[in-house]
Every structure is written in structure tokens, then in C-alpha cells.
Amino acid sequence: MLAMQPTRQRTQQPAQQPTPQPSVTSARYAKCVEVSKRVRFDIDRDVIRGRTFDFSKRFLPNGLSRVDQLAFLGSNDRRLLSQIQGRTYANIFGLVERFIAAKVLEVSREHWLGDQNALEALVRFGDEEIKHQELFRRIERMCAAGMPEGYSFVPEPNAVASAVLSKSTWAVLALTCNIELFVLAHYHQSIEAETDVSELWKDVFLYHCKEESQHAIIDELEWVRENAKLTPEARDAAVDDLIALVGAVDGILQAQAAADTLYFVEVCSRPLTAAELDAVKVTVLAAYRWQYIVSGVQSPRFRDVLGSMITPQQGERIGAALAPIVA
Ligand SMILES: [Fe+2]
Ligand SMILES: [Fe+2]
């Protein structure tokens, strides 16, 4: 089980976050603004550069797609499955960045007449997520151009965003922090050193990661700020919200893994046996759970921040909810 233990053992109350000096916090927002200006990318000029996808290359690296675990598939079919997962990666980000942009713009309200460094950092964060949605819509269309008919992306971004945004801000910021951190992990741990994946996909990961690095810092600052406002009772309810959100994400992943497996079976090079089909389905779901949940919650940074906010009992509840997903 992936227990979410607090960083300090206690029995009832979460540790008090050390209250950061306003000038120190403001300087961190200002640094994010400075770096954001320096690394800012343009979709066409920097990322796509007139290129199309090379379908003779894998899109997602094996560390994310896990297609190397399906030894009964030929190399062309393993590559195809990595490309289907890449298309879903673009669609999942188009989806999550819908609610992230909305939440970021909402929390920026609290800085309107306050710290202008924080306000600028959040406005840039929101603007970048709107641009990322456009990037991933472009990627989806470019994937579609080279793939057979029949792919479907199951969830509807606005319906998911509405459901997510109905939960407490603490829980939405926790989920967002997880997402920002797994973007960084995916680039640095899974694709940066790869030489045999699509160059264009590698650049999508690289440029996305460059802007997400600031998002992870800003999100953490906002999450800690929100946490300090909550009563113990409100925080306990927010933990329930976070557990519900993780369950909802997992529901989406289960539906999409099933849809992507069906599509793969239709377009791969040969009929699969029932056992092979089951193995593909299990592997794709495990890959999606790793990509969109586990690779973030296992990040030491995520665990430290969450652990500093919750009680041991709350950590156990979160760990129990994650156990079947991690398994
Ligand atoms: Fe993004
Ligand atoms: Fe982001």
C-alpha cells in the first residue's frame, strides 16, 4: 500500500506549516514569473516547427506505455499501442488543463489587490494552460491524420471540469499539484534519455515540462496558502474530496483503457486470443494508472507537502484509497 504518512508523527492535528515570510513567498512568485518569461514557447515556432508525426517511431516511451511487457506482440503492434497511448496522452492533458486553468484563474482573485507578483504568476500560469490545451488539440489532430478511423476519447472535458471544480479548492489544488509533478517526472525519468521515440513527441514533453516546472511551484504555494485557511473539520472533508477526485480520475482511466484496447484490437496486425486481449487491457490500464496517478503521488515532493498537512489517520485513508490503483 502506498501510505500517505505525514512527515511528522502526530495523533490528532496536522503539523502547522511554518508560516513563510510574505517577502520570501513573493520572491518565489517573482522568480516563477521571471523563468516563465524566459522559457515561454510558441506552439508553431518552437514545438511543431512545420513537422508531422513520424509513425515509424514510438510516441510514448516504454517507461510510460509499458508496451515492452507485451512480448507476444510484434514490434509494429507494440509501436502502434504506444502511438494510441500518445494520442490519449494529448487528450487527457486537453482535459485536465481545462479545470486547472479555471481553478488558477479563480484563486488569482485572492491576489487581485494584494501581492502583484503572485497575481502575475497565476495569470501567466492560466495563460500557459490555455495555450497547452491548444497544443494538445493540435497534437490530437496530427495523431488522427496518421491513424485509422475508430479511435474515441471517452470523457468530455467540460463535464469533467465541472465535476472537479465542484470539490473543495484544497482537493483540486492537491490533484493539480500531482499532475504538475508527474509532467516533470514523465520528461526527466521516462523520455529525456530516449533516442528511439518520435522527435516531435519528445519536444512536446520538453516544452511542456519547461512551463510546468513553474506551475508546480505556484500550485504548491497556493495549496499551502489554502491549507492554512482550513479548520481541521474542513481539511478532513477536503481529504474526502481528494479521495473522490482520485476515484473519478481512475474511473476515467478505466473507461479509456477499455476504449483504447478495443481500438487497438481492431487496428493491430492480427487477431488476438482472449488471453492476449486481457493482457493488453490490463497493461494499458496499469500504464494509465502509472502515468496519471501513481507517478505523481510517488513523487517525494508531493508526499512531503501532503504529509505536512494531514493527520496519520487521513494519510491512512488516502493510502487505502490508492492501494488498489497502485497494485
Ligand atoms: Fe500544461
Ligand atoms: Fe501546468
Side-chain angles (χ1 to χ4, degrees), residues 287-310:
Y288 288 175
R289 284 172 156 172
W290 169 254
Q291 289 166 32
Y292 304 111
I293 298 176
V294 183
S295 58
V297 298
Q298 282 192 345
S299 140
R301 196 164 147 195
F302 182 83
R303 296 167 70 89
D304 282 352
V305 179
L306 179 60
S308 71
M309 297 175 180
I310 57 174

mmCIF file of all heavy atoms in Angstrom, residues 287-310:
data_model
loop_
_atom_site.group_PDB
_atom_site.id
_atom_site.type_symbol
_atom_site.label_atom_id
_atom_site.label_comp_id
_atom_site.label_asym_id
_atom_site.label_seq_id
_atom_site.Cartn_x
_atom_site.Cartn_y
_atom_site.Cartn_z
ATOM 1 N N ALA A 287 -0.648 1.048 -17.192
ATOM 2 C CA ALA A 287 0.145 2.151 -17.738
ATOM 3 C C ALA A 287 -0.540 3.476 -17.462
ATOM 4 O O ALA A 287 0.109 4.456 -17.053
ATOM 5 C CB ALA A 287 0.347 1.961 -19.244
ATOM 6 N N TYR A 288 -1.851 3.537 -17.667
ATOM 7 C CA TYR A 288 -2.571 4.802 -17.450
ATOM 8 C C TYR A 288 -2.586 5.174 -15.972
ATOM 9 O O TYR A 288 -2.478 6.351 -15.613
ATOM 10 C CB TYR A 288 -4.001 4.713 -18.001
ATOM 11 C CG TYR A 288 -4.052 4.724 -19.514
ATOM 12 C CD1 TYR A 288 -5.245 4.557 -20.199
ATOM 13 C CD2 TYR A 288 -2.905 4.907 -20.275
ATOM 14 C CE1 TYR A 288 -5.300 4.569 -21.590
ATOM 15 C CE2 TYR A 288 -2.941 4.912 -21.654
ATOM 16 C CZ TYR A 288 -4.132 4.736 -22.306
ATOM 17 O OH TYR A 288 -4.174 4.747 -23.678
ATOM 18 N N ARG A 289 -2.762 4.183 -15.105
ATOM 19 C CA ARG A 289 -2.731 4.493 -13.667
ATOM 20 C C ARG A 289 -1.345 5.014 -13.273
ATOM 21 O O ARG A 289 -1.230 5.922 -12.454
ATOM 22 C CB ARG A 289 -3.098 3.240 -12.862
ATOM 23 C CG ARG A 289 -4.581 2.959 -12.897
ATOM 24 C CD ARG A 289 -4.917 1.621 -12.278
ATOM 25 N NE ARG A 289 -6.311 1.582 -11.809
ATOM 26 C CZ ARG A 289 -6.903 0.494 -11.365
ATOM 27 N NH1 ARG A 289 -6.248 -0.651 -11.321
ATOM 28 N NH2 ARG A 289 -8.154 0.532 -10.943
ATOM 29 N N TRP A 290 -0.309 4.436 -13.851
ATOM 30 C CA TRP A 290 1.040 4.919 -13.571
ATOM 31 C C TRP A 290 1.208 6.350 -14.094
ATOM 32 O O TRP A 290 1.696 7.235 -13.401
ATOM 33 C CB TRP A 290 2.088 3.993 -14.209
ATOM 34 C CG TRP A 290 3.465 4.584 -14.182
ATOM 35 C CD1 TRP A 290 4.155 5.108 -15.229
ATOM 36 C CD2 TRP A 290 4.307 4.759 -13.028
ATOM 37 N NE1 TRP A 290 5.371 5.601 -14.811
ATOM 38 C CE2 TRP A 290 5.492 5.398 -13.459
ATOM 39 C CE3 TRP A 290 4.160 4.444 -11.672
ATOM 40 C CZ2 TRP A 290 6.533 5.726 -12.580
ATOM 41 C CZ3 TRP A 290 5.206 4.765 -10.795
ATOM 42 C CH2 TRP A 290 6.365 5.395 -11.266
ATOM 43 N N GLN A 291 0.797 6.558 -15.353
ATOM 44 C CA GLN A 291 1.011 7.867 -15.981
ATOM 45 C C GLN A 291 0.279 8.981 -15.233
ATOM 46 O O GLN A 291 0.848 10.052 -14.989
ATOM 47 C CB GLN A 291 0.518 7.841 -17.434
ATOM 48 C CG GLN A 291 1.373 7.010 -18.370
ATOM 49 C CD GLN A 291 0.682 6.733 -19.705
ATOM 50 O OE1 GLN A 291 -0.087 7.550 -20.197
ATOM 51 N NE2 GLN A 291 0.936 5.573 -20.284
ATOM 52 N N TYR A 292 -1.000 8.752 -14.875
ATOM 53 C CA TYR A 292 -1.851 9.867 -14.452
ATOM 54 C C TYR A 292 -2.141 9.920 -12.954
ATOM 55 O O TYR A 292 -2.763 10.863 -12.505
ATOM 56 C CB TYR A 292 -3.175 9.828 -15.238
ATOM 57 C CG TYR A 292 -2.927 9.856 -16.723
ATOM 58 C CD1 TYR A 292 -3.192 8.740 -17.516
ATOM 59 C CD2 TYR A 292 -2.372 10.978 -17.336
ATOM 60 C CE1 TYR A 292 -2.935 8.750 -18.878
ATOM 61 C CE2 TYR A 292 -2.110 10.995 -18.682
ATOM 62 C CZ TYR A 292 -2.387 9.877 -19.453
ATOM 63 O OH TYR A 292 -2.112 9.899 -20.794
ATOM 64 N N ILE A 293 -1.704 8.920 -12.211
ATOM 65 C CA ILE A 293 -1.922 8.963 -10.757
ATOM 66 C C ILE A 293 -0.616 8.639 -10.016
ATOM 67 O O ILE A 293 -0.071 9.472 -9.292
ATOM 68 C CB ILE A 293 -3.037 7.985 -10.308
ATOM 69 C CG1 ILE A 293 -4.383 8.371 -10.960
ATOM 70 C CG2 ILE A 293 -3.174 8.019 -8.777
ATOM 71 C CD1 ILE A 293 -5.528 7.402 -10.661
ATOM 72 N N VAL A 294 -0.106 7.437 -10.218
ATOM 73 C CA VAL A 294 0.945 6.925 -9.334
ATOM 74 C C VAL A 294 2.271 7.678 -9.507
ATOM 75 O O VAL A 294 2.968 7.960 -8.528
ATOM 76 C CB VAL A 294 1.133 5.406 -9.540
ATOM 77 C CG1 VAL A 294 2.179 4.858 -8.581
ATOM 78 C CG2 VAL A 294 -0.192 4.676 -9.341
ATOM 79 N N SER A 295 2.628 8.030 -10.747
ATOM 80 C CA SER A 295 3.921 8.702 -10.937
ATOM 81 C C SER A 295 3.941 10.069 -10.264
ATOM 82 O O SER A 295 5.014 10.600 -9.973
ATOM 83 C CB SER A 295 4.267 8.817 -12.429
ATOM 84 O OG SER A 295 3.272 9.528 -13.139
ATOM 85 N N GLY A 296 2.774 10.646 -9.996
ATOM 86 C CA GLY A 296 2.720 11.915 -9.262
ATOM 87 C C GLY A 296 2.718 11.712 -7.762
ATOM 88 O O GLY A 296 3.485 12.339 -7.032
ATOM 89 N N VAL A 297 1.862 10.806 -7.269
ATOM 90 C CA VAL A 297 1.757 10.655 -5.813
ATOM 91 C C VAL A 297 3.003 10.005 -5.214
ATOM 92 O O VAL A 297 3.253 10.144 -4.022
ATOM 93 C CB VAL A 297 0.490 9.880 -5.377
ATOM 94 C CG1 VAL A 297 -0.760 10.610 -5.802
ATOM 95 C CG2 VAL A 297 0.474 8.460 -5.873
ATOM 96 N N GLN A 298 3.786 9.333 -6.050
ATOM 97 C CA GLN A 298 5.036 8.766 -5.518
ATOM 98 C C GLN A 298 6.158 9.796 -5.469
ATOM 99 O O GLN A 298 7.223 9.532 -4.926
ATOM 100 C CB GLN A 298 5.477 7.581 -6.382
ATOM 101 C CG GLN A 298 4.670 6.326 -6.077
ATOM 102 C CD GLN A 298 5.252 5.078 -6.702
ATOM 103 O OE1 GLN A 298 6.101 5.147 -7.580
ATOM 104 N NE2 GLN A 298 4.789 3.927 -6.255
ATOM 105 N N SER A 299 5.934 10.960 -6.045
ATOM 106 C CA SER A 299 6.970 11.992 -6.038
ATOM 107 C C SER A 299 7.249 12.437 -4.601
ATOM 108 O O SER A 299 6.327 12.760 -3.852
ATOM 109 C CB SER A 299 6.493 13.171 -6.889
ATOM 110 O OG SER A 299 6.837 14.381 -6.294
ATOM 111 N N PRO A 300 8.525 12.441 -4.174
ATOM 112 C CA PRO A 300 8.834 12.857 -2.805
ATOM 113 C C PRO A 300 8.306 14.252 -2.486
ATOM 114 O O PRO A 300 7.860 14.517 -1.369
ATOM 115 C CB PRO A 300 10.370 12.831 -2.768
ATOM 116 C CG PRO A 300 10.761 11.871 -3.847
ATOM 117 C CD PRO A 300 9.718 12.007 -4.921
ATOM 118 N N ARG A 301 8.320 15.111 -3.482
ATOM 119 C CA ARG A 301 7.850 16.478 -3.250
ATOM 120 C C ARG A 301 6.357 16.491 -2.915
ATOM 121 O O ARG A 301 5.917 17.200 -2.003
ATOM 122 C CB ARG A 301 8.138 17.287 -4.516
ATOM 123 C CG ARG A 301 8.067 18.767 -4.357
ATOM 124 C CD ARG A 301 8.742 19.408 -5.554
ATOM 125 N NE ARG A 301 8.135 20.658 -5.908
ATOM 126 C CZ ARG A 301 8.331 21.270 -7.067
ATOM 127 N NH1 ARG A 301 9.123 20.723 -7.970
ATOM 128 N NH2 ARG A 301 7.758 22.418 -7.312
ATOM 129 N N PHE A 302 5.581 15.708 -3.656
ATOM 130 C CA PHE A 302 4.136 15.634 -3.391
ATOM 131 C C PHE A 302 3.892 15.055 -2.007
ATOM 132 O O PHE A 302 3.085 15.562 -1.227
ATOM 133 C CB PHE A 302 3.442 14.786 -4.461
ATOM 134 C CG PHE A 302 1.948 14.715 -4.282
ATOM 135 C CD1 PHE A 302 1.133 15.730 -4.754
ATOM 136 C CD2 PHE A 302 1.362 13.639 -3.630
ATOM 137 C CE1 PHE A 302 -0.246 15.680 -4.576
ATOM 138 C CE2 PHE A 302 -0.011 13.583 -3.444
ATOM 139 C CZ PHE A 302 -0.817 14.601 -3.929
ATOM 140 N N ARG A 303 4.596 13.998 -1.700
ATOM 141 C CA ARG A 303 4.391 13.320 -0.420
ATOM 142 C C ARG A 303 4.767 14.228 0.743
ATOM 143 O O ARG A 303 4.113 14.221 1.781
ATOM 144 C CB ARG A 303 5.186 12.021 -0.386
ATOM 145 C CG ARG A 303 4.696 11.010 -1.432
ATOM 146 C CD ARG A 303 5.664 9.862 -1.603
ATOM 147 N NE ARG A 303 5.659 9.003 -0.424
ATOM 148 C CZ ARG A 303 4.850 7.959 -0.254
ATOM 149 N NH1 ARG A 303 3.970 7.640 -1.187
ATOM 150 N NH2 ARG A 303 4.904 7.227 0.821
ATOM 151 N N ASP A 304 5.836 15.018 0.567
ATOM 152 C CA ASP A 304 6.250 15.930 1.635
ATOM 153 C C ASP A 304 5.196 17.002 1.891
ATOM 154 O O ASP A 304 4.860 17.308 3.039
ATOM 155 C CB ASP A 304 7.582 16.598 1.273
ATOM 156 C CG ASP A 304 8.763 15.668 1.497
ATOM 157 O OD1 ASP A 304 8.560 14.572 2.081
ATOM 158 O OD2 ASP A 304 9.882 16.026 1.092
ATOM 159 N N VAL A 305 4.707 17.599 0.816
ATOM 160 C CA VAL A 305 3.737 18.690 1.004
ATOM 161 C C VAL A 305 2.445 18.137 1.599
ATOM 162 O O VAL A 305 1.935 18.660 2.599
ATOM 163 C CB VAL A 305 3.444 19.411 -0.333
ATOM 164 C CG1 VAL A 305 2.420 20.524 -0.116
ATOM 165 C CG2 VAL A 305 4.720 19.998 -0.919
ATOM 166 N N LEU A 306 1.921 17.065 1.004
ATOM 167 C CA LEU A 306 0.682 16.488 1.535
ATOM 168 C C LEU A 306 0.889 16.010 2.972
ATOM 169 O O LEU A 306 0.057 16.261 3.845
ATOM 170 C CB LEU A 306 0.228 15.323 0.643
ATOM 171 C CG LEU A 306 -1.055 14.602 1.096
ATOM 172 C CD1 LEU A 306 -2.242 15.556 1.135
ATOM 173 C CD2 LEU A 306 -1.355 13.412 0.197
ATOM 174 N N GLY A 307 2.021 15.359 3.201
ATOM 175 C CA GLY A 307 2.292 14.825 4.536
ATOM 176 C C GLY A 307 2.371 15.901 5.604
ATOM 177 O O GLY A 307 2.078 15.661 6.772
ATOM 178 N N SER A 308 2.757 17.117 5.209
ATOM 179 C CA SER A 308 2.865 18.208 6.186
ATOM 180 C C SER A 308 1.500 18.785 6.545
ATOM 181 O O SER A 308 1.388 19.587 7.468
ATOM 182 C CB SER A 308 3.764 19.321 5.638
ATOM 183 O OG SER A 308 3.108 20.014 4.588
ATOM 184 N N MET A 309 0.456 18.367 5.803
ATOM 185 C CA MET A 309 -0.867 18.962 6.015
ATOM 186 C C MET A 309 -1.847 18.043 6.723
ATOM 187 O O MET A 309 -2.854 18.504 7.256
ATOM 188 C CB MET A 309 -1.490 19.325 4.653
ATOM 189 C CG MET A 309 -0.738 20.354 3.861
ATOM 190 S SD MET A 309 -1.543 20.521 2.240
ATOM 191 C CE MET A 309 -0.514 21.776 1.485
ATOM 192 N N ILE A 310 -1.595 16.742 6.711
ATOM 193 C CA ILE A 310 -2.643 15.795 7.125
ATOM 194 C C ILE A 310 -2.243 15.024 8.379
ATOM 195 O O ILE A 310 -1.065 14.953 8.734
ATOM 196 C CB ILE A 310 -2.973 14.796 5.990
ATOM 197 C CG1 ILE A 310 -1.705 14.040 5.560
ATOM 198 C CG2 ILE A 310 -3.609 15.528 4.814
ATOM 199 C CD1 ILE A 310 -1.955 12.922 4.551
#
